[in-house]
Amino acid sequence: METVLVREYRSDLLECVHSGHIAIVGEGGLLKGYAGDPGFVTFTRSAAKPLQAIPGIRAGIAEHYGFTPAEIALMTASHRGEDYHIATLERISAKIGIDESDMICSTSYPLHSLSREQAIRGQGKRKLYHNCSGKHMGILAYSKLKGLPLEEYAQPDYPVQKEIIETLAGMAGIPAETIGLGTDGCGLPVFALPLKSLAAAYLKLASPDLIQDEPTRMAVIKITAAMNAHPEMVAGHGRLDSILLADDNIVAKGGFKGVYCFGLRRERLGICFKILDGSEEEWGLIVRSILDQLGYSHKNTLEKLRTAFSGVIYNDGGTQVGHADTGFKLTLT
């Protein structure tokens, strides 16, 4: 039931086809639109990060450690390792009273090209450069607050990890035992669930009034407000997450291997899609097409997307050599 999401052409000859699935969910978990199979089960990858931050924020780590909104936003991030990301992570580490060696994620170079070059010429790889290090810091902060042994924080049966799964299940509106488990690239548990269920969770991120539990609702408000106030912390300059989060009507977060999720506050919709070949280059085009087909009214955001993700394909020398087009039409219900 997969559908073509994007076609890429070089010299007007079809070169690549990216297929996948889209789910759009409204209040009550009702399916409001789709392309392909909205029930397709996929791993959340980093799209789960705003949801993984909920238990710690709900328990009061922001107040206990004095975390700023920028620091909270970085706990939801797939950051690029730019200077301001690393400086903020170092402040988080100092506030918690832990060292980066306490994280299980591997040492890495920054994903941001200039920052990567500087690191190669400088001190080399660090765990703080790993794009998931903010998430790890947040979980470690909560683990330390609870007095738990830090060295076990990545285990699926660890109390904080079990609380994360229960929270995700509640946000997605499904039983926790139906969520599949794997190991993410950073070493933490990663979750598998239907796209429409993940979209339901993003609807609640964008519309927290739908969350019945007040502490969870207040945590979501704090997390998403931080993401919108500091979009550059969640990804980096020019990245899709940061462009969308600059619009205070949108809560957005992508994940590795082609999964992307966002919620629209005013429209009260949760939207998730999966590119089956795991590509991420097409995210911006797909988001732009979804918003266009929904009649999204924030013209400034649409213009930013058209500028950043025009669909024009250039060679290494900057010459236009092809183009990409979205190939799907949403079924709106």
Side-chain angles (χ1 to χ4, degrees), residues 12-13 49 62 115 180 184 206 264 305-306 320:
D12 295 323
L13 180 68
K49 285 175 176 173
S115 301
D184 213 337
L264 302 179
L305 291 172
R306 290 188 187 97
Q320 181 176 346

Side-chain angles (χ1 to χ4, degrees), residues 78-86 108-121 128-131 232 235-239:
S78 297
H79 67 79
R80 312 301 289 178
E82 296 183 63
D83 287 346
Y84 61 90
H85 292 131
I86 303 307
S108 178
Y109 285 118
L111 296 174
H112 180 251
S113 58
L114 179 58
S115 301
R116 181 182 181 90
E117 292 172 11
Q118 292 171 340
I120 291 172
R121 294 190 181 98
L128 284 187
Y129 290 149
H130 195 290
N131 75 97
E232 75 287 350
H237 292 100
R239 303 294 298 179

Side-chain angles (χ1 to χ4, degrees), residues 46-54 57 68-78 202 205-206 219-235 241-254 260-263 265:
S46 288
K49 285 175 176 173
L51 299 157
Q52 288 169 293
I54 292 172
I57 297 299
T68 66
E71 291 162 354
I72 294 171
L74 195 48
M75 293 174 188
T76 74
S78 297
Y202 265 77
L205 288 176
V220 166
I221 291 171
K222 182 170 290 188
I223 290 165
T224 56
M227 293 171 71
N228 286 124
H230 299 278
E232 75 287 350
M233 286 295 179
V234 180
D241 290 347
S242 297
I243 291 172
L244 291 176
L245 286 165
D247 182 336
D248 61 10
N249 189 53
I250 299 178
V251 179
K253 184 71 189 72
Y260 202 87
C261 304
F262 60 106
R265 290 190 169 94

Side-chain angles (χ1 to χ4, degrees), residues 255-318:
F256 196 42
K257 295 300 182 183
V259 62
Y260 202 87
C261 304
F262 60 106
L264 302 179
R265 290 190 169 94
R266 186 183 61 251
E267 294 80 1
R268 299 176 76 79
L269 294 173
I271 303 161
C272 292
F273 62 85
K274 166 72 174 180
I275 302 173
L276 289 176
D277 61 14
S279 180
E280 299 175 15
E281 294 178 358
E282 299 73 31
W283 278 352
L285 287 175
I286 296 169
V287 169
R288 197 181 86 194
S289 181
I290 291 171
L291 291 174
D292 280 337
Q293 292 186 52
L294 291 175
Y296 192 61
S297 62
H298 287 205
K299 303 303 181 185
N300 184 50
T301 297
L302 293 173
E303 186 56 37
K304 287 180 180 179
L305 291 172
R306 290 188 187 97
T307 299
F309 309 101
S310 66
V312 176
I313 298 173
Y314 298 95
N315 70 4
D316 295 341

Side-chain angles (χ1 to χ4, degrees), residues 34 66 201:
Y34 65 93

